[in-house]
Every structure is written in structure tokens, then in C-alpha cells.
Amino acid sequence: MPATTDNQSSFLNRISIRRNQVVAMENHDLELEDLELFQKHVADRFSHILSTTAGNTTDPSSATTESPSAAQESCTPPLLSISWFRNLLDTYLCCEAEFKAVLVMGRDPTQFTKTPLDKLIPDLLDRSVKALDICNAVTHGVELVRHWQKLAQIAVTALQQTTIGEGQVRRAKKALNTLLTSMVVDEKENANSNNHGKSTERSWSFGRRGGSGNNNKDRATGNFRSLSWSVAKQWSAAKQIQAMSANLAAPRGGESTGLAMPVYIMSTVLVFVMWSLVAAIPCQERTGLATHFVVPRQLGWAQPMIGLQEKIVEEWKKKEKKGTAGLLEELQKMEKVAQSLVDFADSFQFPLEEEKAAEVAMQVEELADICRKMEEGLVPLQQQVREVFHRIVRSRAEVLDLLDQVGKLSTPVPY
């Protein structure tokens, strides 16, 4: 996003220069101008994402008929694809840098002890901690998707042989069944966690058999625990998002022209980004996610964000009925093609008819294209999530340092 980065640099330089030189304008007027520019940049960035989202919806039913080359020809990322999320995280990082400049750069720290910042800043810091938990969950969720990609690649390698025989089909079917079963196990465990108030402690076990070797269910699923890092039994991604948005209220009256507004804007951006990631990437317990986040429609800067949210909610409601493992566009297509190839393997007869061989070859090529996109995009996406994590940590530390300065200033000097 070169243009976005240039705008960000210009904006930050502008604030830095103006706040360190004597100017004719009153400070209040400068803050109003900075606030308006910040709102404009947020609106422009999310408008850009909305306008450059290819198709705007994902239809898994078309996965077996769409040509991989046709998908590659599109220069705009589909909604909820890996490329789309990379753009979204870039946008978050740009917005966060500008927000920190508006809130912190050249700021008198005593303002943070006055209404309404005395309440909004602690809420923002608490929201940041919850976002760190989401980042950790998403990072491990991406690791799981990478494992699924490796299983799909095993099937691709087996079925791309010049002559497909019984051995290749059995190998591909075993890998794809493990892939599809693990997706179903993930969602069933999440549902059980929500319905019965309990879940299983997780340990690193991607595709590994547990100690209970005589358990038929474990043998059937390979003891595939999708969310495999150690987390609290009651931890819920959906409840975490709900907690992040619980105290999120738009400023009213005079507060809407002060620092309360950029705090609200950045909090909204943070919740939207975390909400979108949780909807797309496998995370523990996501039931009812579509009802947990509301943005007031009267705010002009929020309109493109609301448009994106509505499209994601539509996709969530469609997929929720099927009980599958996430809205990531590549993941949906992988699931659809994998199921089709399993159906083919169940009815396989050697030698393969020419027409059927051509149909299978096209599906295998589509699965190979999905694997390539995952291979190229998942590691950079995971790195971006980590970058967001570290940016949140650094920004939170800077705000805490300012609050610490206020505490020292308010401490009586002993004589």
C-alpha cells in the first residue's frame, strides 16, 4: 500500500513539525484539524479495501468449476482471502501509527487524568490486552491451517501422477479424510465447549495420536486437536470479542470534537480487525460471533467498515449452518474440493475413464492452486499478526509511561 504509507508519513511529519514550533493557530484548532485528517485517512483506507475487494462474497459451491488461472487473473483480493487479510492488517498498522501520533506526540500527559480520557484510556489499555489474546489464538490458528495445507498437498502429489492407480487414490483419500475430519472435530469441540461449559485442555498434537491408544474415536480422528496450545478451559474467542466491544460507545456532545473521538475510532478499528480474524481463522469457540459487534451508522468514517462487516456477517451466517472451520476464502475452497475428491476416491475404478480423468485433473489443479496460495501467504500473514501483537505491546507501554509520568507529577515533593 505505497500511497497509504506515503500519506501516513506525511501525516506523522506534519504533526511532529507543527507541535514543535510556534504557530498562529490555537492548539484546539490544530487538534480539530488533526482529528479530521485522522478520520479521513481511516475512511479512505477502509474505502480502499471495500472498493478493491473482488466479488465481495465467497461462494464455495463454485469452487469446483472456477478455473485457477481465472482466479489468478483477478488483481483484487477476494473477501476474507489471505491477501485481503494482509491488506487489512497493513491498514490497521497505518491507522495505529497515526492514532498514536494524535494521542501521544507532544501531548501534555496530565490530559489523560481529565474527563473523559481518565476512563477511556484504561478501557483502551484493557482492550489492548484482550487483543493480544486474540493475536495469539489467530497465530496458532494459522499454524493449523498450514497443517491442513500440507495434508492437501499430499493428496495433490498423489493425484498428479501420470497414471492414477489404487495406491495413489488410497494415499490421497487418507490425507483428505484426515483434513476434513479435523475440520469437523474442531467445530464440534467448539460447540460442545459452548453448550456444556467445558472443553479439553490442548497440547501440541497436530495429527499425533494421544496416549489413549485403545480409544476408537481417537483412532478415527488421529486425535487431531486443532487448537493445540495450552489455553484456559473456558476461553472463548467470541466472548473475548464481546468483552472488547462491551464498553465501546461513540463520544457525544463536546466529547466528539476532542481526544475521545480518536480513542473511539482506534478502538473500533481494533475490534473490527480482531473480529474479522476470528471469523476467518480457526479459534476456540466462536458461536454467535456475528451478533457481538455493532458500529453506529451515523458516523461517516465508519461507513466502509460497516459495509465490510455486513458482507462478513452474511458469509458467517451461511457457513454457521454448515458447521465448518472458518471463513478464510482459501479454506472454504479447499474444503469443497477435498470433499469432491473424497467422493471420487470412494467410487474409483481402474482404469479411469478419460472424461472422469479430465474432471479430476481440473479439481486437483484447483487444489494445487489453493495450496500454492497458502504456501505463499500464510507465513507472511502469521508474521503480520505477530507484528500487530508487538505494535500493540509497544503502544500500550508508551501510554503507560505517560500515565506513570502523571503519577510522578501528582506525587507531593517531600521537604
Side-chain angles (χ1 to χ4, degrees), residues 142-157:
V142 173
E143 192 66 32
L144 171 63
V145 177
R146 289 179 63 195
H147 184 80
W148 288 343
Q149 177 255 320
K150 291 173 184 176
L151 289 172
Q153 187 61 54
I154 291 172
V156 167
T157 302

Side-chain angles (χ1 to χ4, degrees), residues 324-340:
T324 46
L327 298 185
L328 190 69
E329 195 253 2
E330 289 84 359
L331 198 56
Q332 291 191 59
K333 287 186 175 181
M334 174 181 282
E335 181 186 8
K336 183 69 177 180
V337 180
Q339 185 59 62
S340 179

Side-chain angles (χ1 to χ4, degrees), residues 57-63 79-80 148 180 183-184 187 278-281 286-290 311-337 339:
T57 56
T58 304
D59 182 7
S61 64
S62 64
L79 180 70
L80 298 172
W148 288 343
L180 294 170
M183 290 181 177
V184 174
E187 287 301 307
V278 168
I281 307 295
R286 297 175 295 174
T287 304
L289 189 67
K311 295 178 185 302
I312 295 172
V313 168
E314 289 174 7
E315 290 301 300
W316 177 265
K317 289 180 178 177
K318 286 191 292 186
K319 292 296 290 179
E320 195 172 32
K321 295 175 183 177
K322 299 179 182 179
T324 46
L327 298 185
L328 190 69
E329 195 253 2
E330 289 84 359
L331 198 56
Q332 291 191 59
K333 287 186 175 181
M334 174 181 282
E335 181 186 8
K336 183 69 177 180
V337 180
Q339 185 59 62

Side-chain angles (χ1 to χ4, degrees), residues 61-115:
S61 64
S62 64
T64 56
T65 59
E66 182 185 356
S67 167
S69 60
Q72 291 174 344
E73 288 173 4
S74 173
C75 32
T76 56
L79 180 70
L80 298 172
S81 64
I82 295 171
S83 297
W84 187 88
F85 273 106
R86 294 195 63 192
N87 288 342
L88 180 65
L89 293 181
D90 277 342
T91 293
Y92 169 80
L93 291 170
C94 289
C95 290
E96 198 275 343
E98 289 192 11
F99 164 71
K100 191 164 60 175
V102 171
L103 184 71
V104 174
M105 194 176 291
R107 181 72 56 197
D108 177 3
T110 60
Q111 293 189 35
F112 293 161
T113 64
K114 301 174 183 177
T115 305

Side-chain angles (χ1 to χ4, degrees), residues 36-54:
E36 289 174 2
L37 196 57
F38 176 61
Q39 292 184 66
K40 181 181 184 301
H41 285 176
V42 171
D44 289 347
R45 290 189 179 106
F46 280 93
S47 293
H48 178 75
I49 293 178
L50 182 61
S51 64
T52 57
T53 297

Side-chain angles (χ1 to χ4, degrees), residues 1-14 41 45 94 98:
M1 302 175 67
T4 300
T5 305
D6 290 344
N7 288 339
Q8 176 191 346
S9 299
S10 175
F11 179 78
L12 298 180
N13 290 336
R14 176 172 165 272
H41 285 176
R45 290 189 179 106
C94 289
E98 289 192 11

